[in-house]
Amino acid sequence: MKKSVPAALFRICCSLLLTMVSLHALGQATKAAQSAVQKKELNALRVTVPPKIDGILDETDWQQAQIATDFIQNRPNPGPKEKYPTQVKVMYDDAAIYIGAVMQEVSPDSIFKSLSGRDDTGNADWFGVFLDTYNDEINGYGFFVTPAGVQLDARYSSNGEDFSWNSVWESNATIQGSTWMVEIKIPYSAIRFSEKPEQLWGLNFMRNRQARRQGYFWNHVEPSKDGFVNQWGQLKGIKEITPPVRLSFTPYVSATAERFPSGATEGTGAKYKEEVKFSGGMDLKYGISDAFTLDMTLIPDFSQVKSDNQVLNLSPFEIQYNENRPFFLEGTELFNKGGFFYSRRVGGFPVNFDLANKDRPEHVVVKENPVETKMINGTKVSGRTRGGLGVGLFNAVVGRAYATLRDTITGAEYDVETQPLTNYNVTVLDQSLKNNSYVTFINTNVMRQGSTYDANLSAVLFRLNTKGNKYAIDGKAALSQLYHSDNTDLGYTYTLGAGKTSGNFTYSIRHTVESDTYNPNDLGILFSNNSMEQEVYFQYNVYQPFWKLLNMNASIGALHERRYDTGNFQNFVIFSNLNGTFKNFLGAGMFLNLEPILTYDYFEPRVGGWYYEFPVNYSVGGYISSDYSKKFALDINADYRWFDYNGRKNFGYSISPRFRPNDKLLLVYRFSNGMRFSEIGHANNLKGKKGKNDLAPIVGEHIIFGTRDVDNVTNSLELQYVFNNKMSLRLTAWHNWSKVFYDQYFRLHQDGKLGDTNYVPEDYNAIHNRNFNSFNMDLEYSWWFAPGSQIAVVFKDAFLEQTTTLKPRYFDNVNHTFSSPQSNMLSVKLLYYIDYLTVKNKLSKKS
């Protein structure tokens, strides 16, 4: 294949733009620095008697504290001062920092106070305090309270906002007429800071008025400026405080009962297996120093974790699932930098899963082959020094896994090891620099006992901002190593980008290379390698209202991709988006994507060196989303994609109404339907055409593609009932149905074209038609009966089936799903939080 003229022009334009961006950034650095906004300051008041956290603020000390007020609107439009004032005060003692806030409203019914679960604002007003305890303008904490007393907390870093982080702190809220108040106690054990005579922390406060969807900050946060923590004010006056001993234990006990089909039958129905398990373990947190924390989980129990949404996968790539396990969610912002750590690898699919079928005689069957491994323990050490050096160490040990095989002649059973004892390790060194910049080193390592290969990856990433945080250059580079018994596979990747990151108009240009041997997938995730990409992106934001819109943003970009090993052209796409919010808070947007020339798919054939000539195509779509502050709201999405090939087209849509009849109950229903007509996709690789009995899958001789119609239907329901700010009940249920019908087959030629329709046996379609059904239901009751302590009861129901027998009508599939044998689980778990300082103080008072 010849390299195209548009590709050459695109690379030249990218090079010119990169040069212009760099020169323009240097020329504007001084001007941007001079335009920086002066940060607000607030002094904290030292007290000797801690206030009662009752949300009333009636202690005399509160009257003496300095007031923070004059909040400025950030959304939906930045700039206006608040009409209904907010006043905040800060006090501290040797144990904690205290925040008191008073929010005035136009009337009592303007205070939105709906209940929700922890870390969920729901449809409510809220007040938040932000602390940057190292004053590095990159990392920080956020603590939030709603009028109903619901708590939220988050960590902030260069990766963004992370609400999966949880800490133990106290708060209370009260409503008095058209005013509501919040009182917060944040113990020093909940945050990290350096020991020095006087602290200087970054500080900000935020208020959300849900009735008008307005957000206000004490120190103005300009949405057109890059960064968030760097736009906070400063907290002064905290003197002679000492980081406390940070030691806590959270032991747990759990009981789990499972009932699932055994695969055998009994009478006219399925035979079930039942298991009851009792378990116990503990989470431990220990402050190694004033800056570093050890976080350890011993014998973790993940039985109550939210179920994965199982879908039919016809692509050549694995499905990336969300992480729902608390240990891998909390305090992992350092480990997630650069995207090299995919935590689902730990305790995931066995590395030697296929050994159960390797060289297996016909009279031997696989009785059991687990698809998950068991994590024995996990440890995290993380923190940041006074000099801004962040250090993170992650380690986890996964035990052996075995498949059980049965000899049908002798009846004997034996085990085959599918996962050796494995150690996972991640090391991160992250140095904060001036102007919200950083440089980071990351190493991931996987060591397996025995002859199974080991893996290692080392990476460096950086971001350098100008003084005004208006322009930035960033990049990363990584080397992957796979250690086999007789050789080592090396691969690499690097990315370099630059752009304008602040202002109404922003742009960026990026160049990425991934070698054909780069493989981070033992502890990371990468869908494809062997590519060289150039991307250019432009965005324009309108933050002030005009016409009938409150705000709007428009973007356009282009991506050009070549193969790394051959330099051959692979892909070119132009993409664009337009989004806005109307003055009635109706959100709407649309996108338009173009692939205007033939591209080449090197992954769908599933064989190295082969490719499929992907047709020219165009796609368009849009959405509308109504005001969530109303009792009833509606989301609608639709998209359409058409191809310059034989009537091929895709169409999809989704409808999601949500109803909140009162402050305790929320119902959300989602329906989506995606249809792909005359889609061309991989079917199999064949050895010959003597007949259906000779269809042996092999690699690389005859690659068979098929024309297929794919229909995907998803229904889901979420019900949440919150009794109070400590107790809730949540139901989540979803059903996925996919139907795949093949009507014609082709042989793939080495030039990427399809032909030889008579090559495949006539009844071959029976092999590759698919009828897929999955159903999951999670019902969870949660009661936080004390700070950090919880009782949780979870019931799960699951069904998964994939066959080649089509059921073309949707409700036939629904009936089949619910009448088929289900897998059930009931789990009861008790966690109890024990804080060393609290216990010590109580014992000292008694003595």
Side-chain angles (χ1 to χ4, degrees):
M1 289 176 294
K2 296 181 179 181
K3 298 177 183 177
S4 64
V5 174
L9 290 174
F10 184 78
R11 291 195 298 275
I12 293 172
C13 292
C14 289
S15 301
L16 289 173
L17 184 57
L18 179 60
T19 304
M20 293 169 60
V21 168
S22 301
L23 292 175
H24 191 52
L26 293 173
Q28 294 293 319
T30 304
K31 181 179 178 181
Q34 293 174 348
S35 63
V37 177
Q38 183 69 33
K39 293 189 173 186
K40 290 183 177 181
E41 297 179 356
L42 184 71
N43 286 288
L45 175 70
R46 176 178 273 278
V47 295
T48 55
V49 179
K52 183 180 180 182
I53 308 302
D54 54 10
I56 299 178
L57 278 72
D58 55 353
E59 290 84 358
T60 56
D61 287 333
W62 283 121
Q63 312 308 316
Q64 302 174 24
Q66 184 180 350
I67 299 174
T69 188
D70 295 329
F71 281 47
I72 301 173
Q73 186 171 296
N74 165 268
R75 56 176 167 79
N77 309 112
K81 292 185 178 181
E82 63 177 347
K83 185 177 180 181
Y84 303 98
T86 303
Q87 294 186 341
V88 189
K89 301 178 181 180
V90 176
M91 304 190 303
Y92 74 100
D93 58 18
D94 291 333
I97 183 171
Y98 306 93
I99 297 95
V102 179
M103 281 72 61
Q104 295 183 20
E105 258 298 350
V106 59
S107 62
D109 60 0
S110 296
I111 302 174
F112 279 44
K113 53 185 183 298
S114 70
L115 285 161
S116 56
R118 199 182 196 279
D119 287 336
D120 180 6
T121 58
N123 186 37
D125 291 7
W126 49 263
F127 168 80
V129 55
F130 303 92
L131 299 174
D132 174 9
T133 54
Y134 290 96
N135 201 33
D136 62 8
E137 298 190 345
I138 297 178
N139 303 279
Y141 302 89
F143 301 88
F144 311 85
V145 183
T146 74
V150 177
Q151 287 188 347
L152 303 89
D153 41 26
R155 288 291 300 269
Y156 296 87
S157 68
S158 57
N159 287 339
E161 187 176 54
D162 179 15
F163 274 97
S164 62
W165 177 77
N166 287 310
S167 187
V168 178
W169 47 287
E170 295 180 47
S171 65
N172 217 325
T174 58
I175 301 175
Q176 297 179 3
S178 59
T179 299
W180 68 285
M181 294 175 286
V182 169
E183 206 165 11
I184 298 173
K185 174 185 177 181
I186 304 172
Y188 296 138
S189 58
I191 55 179
R192 304 174 191 172
F193 55 91
S194 298
E195 184 173 4
K196 46 190 174 184
E198 183 171 358
Q199 302 288 329
L200 177 61
W201 293 353
L203 172 72
N204 215 346
F205 306 109
M206 185 179 181
R207 176 185 177 182
N208 177 69
R209 296 183 68 234
Q210 188 67 5
R212 299 297 300 164
R213 306 286 289 272
Q214 294 169 326
Y216 295 88
F217 283 97
W218 169 63
N219 197 89
H220 182 47
V221 175
E222 176 59 56
S224 64
K225 183 177 180 180
D226 185 46
F228 178 54
V229 182
N230 55 304
Q231 299 193 64
W232 297 355
Q234 292 186 334
L235 177 64
K236 294 183 175 182
I238 298 181
K239 301 176 181 179
E240 298 177 355
I241 64 171
T242 302
V245 176
R246 291 180 287 116
L247 175 62
S248 65
F249 308 89
T250 309
Y252 83 86
V253 291
S254 68
T256 304
E258 293 183 80
R259 182 175 182 264
F260 51 90
S262 64
T265 57
E266 186 174 38
T268 59
K271 189 175 181 180
Y272 286 87
K273 244 180 118 173
E274 296 180 351
E275 293 182 358
V276 177
K277 300 177 184 177
F278 297 93
S279 180
M282 182 172 64
D283 291 345
L284 179 148
K285 292 182 186 291
Y286 174 61
I288 301 172
S289 66
D290 59 1
F292 292 94
T293 301
L294 168 70
D295 189 349
M296 180 179 291
T297 181
L298 305 172
I299 319 176
D301 175 22
F302 300 130
S303 61
Q304 294 190 343
V305 168
K306 181 182 177 182
S307 303
D308 290 326
N309 185 12
Q310 302 284 346
V311 295
L312 177 65
N313 184 16
L314 297 175
S315 78
F317 311 113
E318 66 175 309
I319 296 175
Q320 182 176 3
Y321 289 107
N322 294 329
E323 179 60 82
N324 297 313
R325 297 171 294 180
F327 179 77
F328 293 97
L329 290 172
E330 299 174 6
T332 56
E333 64 275 359
L334 272 176
F335 306 108
N336 291 328
K337 291 198 75 169
F340 297 107
F341 179 42
Y342 178 44
S343 56
R344 290 295 294 261
R345 299 291 185 211
V346 182
F349 200 73
V351 65
N352 294 323
F353 179 84
D354 293 334
L355 282 181
N357 291 306
K358 185 177 180 181
D359 302 325
R360 178 171 55 86
E362 291 186 2
H363 63 277
V364 175
V365 297
V366 178
K367 181 180 178 182
E368 186 177 10
N369 195 4
V371 296
E372 292 182 349
T373 52
K374 177 70 174 178
M375 179 174 157
I376 300 173
N377 60 61
T379 304
K380 293 178 292 190
V381 176
S382 60
R384 193 169 293 273
T385 67
R386 275 187 210 177
L389 176 63
V391 179
L393 299 172
F394 169 88
N395 183 268
V397 177
V398 169
R400 296 179 178 87
Y402 298 91
T404 302
L405 277 64
R406 182 175 181 273
D407 190 317
T408 58
I409 298 176
T410 65
E413 294 184 357
Y414 59 96
D415 293 334
V416 174
E417 185 181 83
T418 58
Q419 176 76 36
L421 185 68
T422 305
N423 184 83
Y424 297 89
N425 191 76
V426 182
T427 303
V428 182
L429 300 174
D430 177 55
Q431 180 63 57
S432 300
L433 304 174
K434 290 183 179 180
N435 308 319
N436 208 32
S437 304
Y438 62 82
V439 59
T440 307
F441 170 78
I442 299 174
N443 177 264
T444 67
N445 184 271
V446 180
M447 297 186 67
R448 300 180 175 97
Q449 191 177 61
S451 59
T452 304
Y453 74 95
D454 299 326
N456 187 80
L457 181 141
S458 298
V460 175
L461 51 151
F462 70 92
R463 180 182 174 92
L464 303 175
N465 296 303
T466 58
K467 286 186 179 180
N469 220 47
K470 192 172 184 180
Y471 300 92
I473 298 175
D474 65 87
K476 65 180 179 180
L479 174 69
S480 66
Q481 300 162 287
L482 304 183
Y483 299 103
H484 301 276
S485 57
D486 54 351
N487 70 296
T488 300
D489 295 333
L490 299 177
Y492 71 89
T493 181
Y494 69 86
T495 297
L496 182 63
K500 181 174 180 287
T501 56
S502 295
N504 294 77
F505 175 60
T506 60
Y507 53 82
S508 65
I509 184 169
R510 189 166 303 279
H511 173 69
T512 301
V513 171
E514 293 170 345
S515 72
D516 56 333
T517 54
Y518 175 62
N519 185 358
N521 282 338
D522 286 272
L523 200 44
I525 186 166
L526 178 71
F527 297 110
S528 62
N529 56 14
N530 195 12
S531 71
M532 294 186 290
E533 296 181 0
Q534 295 82 35
E535 182 180 4
V536 62
Y537 180 77
F538 303 91
Q539 179 168 315
Y540 190 79
N541 301 282
V542 180
Y543 297 106
Q544 298 300 331
F546 70 99
W547 188 54
K548 296 183 179 182
L549 290 169
L550 287 170
N551 51 55
M552 187 187 75
N553 69 79
S555 63
I556 187 169
L559 174 70
H560 176 270
E561 185 177 5
R562 291 182 295 143
R563 298 289 282 176
Y564 167 84
D565 55 357
T566 63
N568 290 338
F569 169 72
Q570 180 169 319
N571 191 25
F572 177 70
V573 59
I574 300 171
F575 51 91
S576 61
N577 284 274
L578 178 65
N579 302 282
T581 304
F582 290 87
K583 292 180 179 179
N584 62 353
F585 301 107
L586 176 73
M590 63 174 296
F591 72 87
L592 174 65
N593 298 336
L594 311 175
E595 293 186 31
I597 57 177
L598 285 174
T599 57
Y600 302 93
D601 187 342
Y602 284 83
F603 307 103
E604 188 64 21
R606 325 288 166 103
V607 177
W610 287 71
Y611 61 89
Y612 161 59
E613 196 173 71
F614 200 79
V616 172
N617 66 93
Y618 316 91
S619 56
V620 64
Y623 73 92
I624 59 171
S625 178
S626 67
D627 185 359
Y628 280 14
S629 68
K630 306 298 183 183
K631 284 190 174 184
F632 179 81
L634 182 66
D635 294 323
I636 300 176
N637 292 265
D639 60 87
Y640 182 70
R641 188 179 187 184
W642 64 101
F643 299 77
D644 288 349
Y645 181 83
N646 199 28
R648 180 176 177 180
K649 57 187 175 181
N650 301 348
F651 175 66
Y653 65 96
S654 66
I655 301 174
S656 178
R658 56 174 56 219
F659 180 54
R660 189 185 299 272
N662 53 52
D663 286 339
K664 294 186 175 183
L665 179 63
L666 172 66
L667 290 156
V668 181
Y669 170 71
R670 297 181 181 91
F671 173 83
S672 65
N673 186 197
M675 296 164 282
R676 308 197 296 271
F677 302 99
S678 300
E679 180 183 63
I680 300 292
H682 175 268
N684 205 353
N685 300 331
L686 299 184
K687 183 176 181 180
K689 59 173 185 177
K690 296 179 182 179
K692 63 180 181 180
N693 295 327
D694 195 34
L695 302 181
I698 64 167
V699 174
E701 284 197 10
H702 303 303
I703 302 171
I704 305 303
F705 272 52
T707 302
R708 62 198 182 199
D709 290 342
V710 183
D711 193 2
N712 297 307
V713 178
T714 299
N715 277 278
S716 68
L717 175 66
E718 179 182 340
L719 183 151
Q720 178 178 287
Y721 188 84
V722 185
F723 301 93
N724 52 51
N725 59 10
K726 302 288 192 299
M727 187 185 300
S728 64
L729 181 69
R730 179 187 292 268
L731 170 69
T732 306
W734 57 95
H735 172 253
N736 294 314
W737 170 56
S738 295
K739 178 187 68 174
V740 183
F741 174 71
Y742 284 83
D743 63 358
Q744 197 172 17
Y745 293 91
F746 305 88
R747 180 184 176 188
L748 180 66
H749 291 229
Q750 286 190 323
D751 62 357
K753 299 182 183 299
L754 302 175
D756 298 338
T757 58
N758 61 348
Y759 182 80
V760 183
E762 293 180 359
D763 58 351
Y764 191 58
N765 64 326
I767 298 177
H768 291 292
N769 287 343
R770 289 289 182 270
N771 199 87
F772 174 90
N773 282 281
S774 71
F775 173 76
N776 286 91
M777 182 187 74
D778 292 0
L779 178 63
E780 177 186 7
Y781 167 81
S782 175
W783 176 31
W784 293 91
F785 61 91
S789 303
Q790 180 192 33
I791 292 176
V793 182
V794 174
F795 175 77
K796 294 185 178 183
D797 183 271
F799 172 77
L800 179 65
E801 181 186 71
Q802 178 175 300
T803 70
T804 59
T805 302
L806 296 181
K807 292 183 176 65
R809 291 183 295 188
Y810 173 71
F811 286 104
D812 289 343
N813 287 270
V814 173
N815 292 333
H816 172 74
T817 296
F818 289 108
S819 62
S820 298
Q822 312 279 308
S823 297
N824 308 122
M825 186 211 73
L826 177 65
S827 173
V828 180
K829 189 174 184 179
L830 169 67
L831 301 94
Y832 193 79
Y833 175 78
I834 303 172
D835 179 68
Y836 166 77
L837 285 179
T838 303
V839 174
K840 181 183 176 181
N841 292 335
K842 287 183 178 179
L843 292 177
S844 62
K845 288 181 180 180
K846 289 182 180 180
S847 61

